[in-house]
Amino acid sequence: MELLWFALIGMVSGWLAGSLMRGGGFGLIGNLVVGVLGAFLGGWLLGELGISFGGTIGSIVTATIGAMVLLFVAGLLTKKK
C-alpha cells in the first residue's frame, strides 16, 4: 500500500512540477514519470540538506521539488542549440 501511495504522490508532484516549470515539461505522461523519479531525488536531496517535511503535504512538496530539479536538468540536456 505504501508503494501505491508513493506512486500517487509522485504523479501529483510531476503534474504540479510540469505546471510550474516554464515550457510545461514533457507532457502529461512524461511529467508523471518524472514526478515519481523526482520523489526519489527530492527525498535524497532534501535529506542531504537536512530539510524534512512531514505529512502528505510535505511529501508532495518534497517530491515536487525533486521533480522540478529533474525537469530542469532534463531540459538542459535536451535543449537544442
Side-chain angles (χ1 to χ4, degrees):
M1 190 66 168
E2 288 181 27
L3 184 60
L4 178 63
W5 190 245
F6 182 79
L8 288 173
I9 288 174
M11 288 180 191
V12 168
S13 68
W15 171 80
L16 188 58
S19 298
L20 294 173
M21 295 293 290
R22 176 184 275 175
F26 296 104
L28 180 63
I29 300 300
N31 286 342
L32 295 179
V33 171
V34 166
V36 172
L37 296 174
F40 285 110
L41 178 64
W44 174 79
L45 184 63
L46 293 179
E48 289 294 315
L49 294 174
I51 300 170
S52 176
F53 298 109
T56 303
I57 299 297
S59 296
I60 292 172
V61 168
T62 300
T64 301
I65 290 170
M68 289 175 71
V69 169
L70 197 57
L71 282 174
F72 177 75
V73 170
L76 289 177
L77 295 176
T78 60
K79 194 170 198 172
K80 297 178 182 173
K81 295 182 179 184

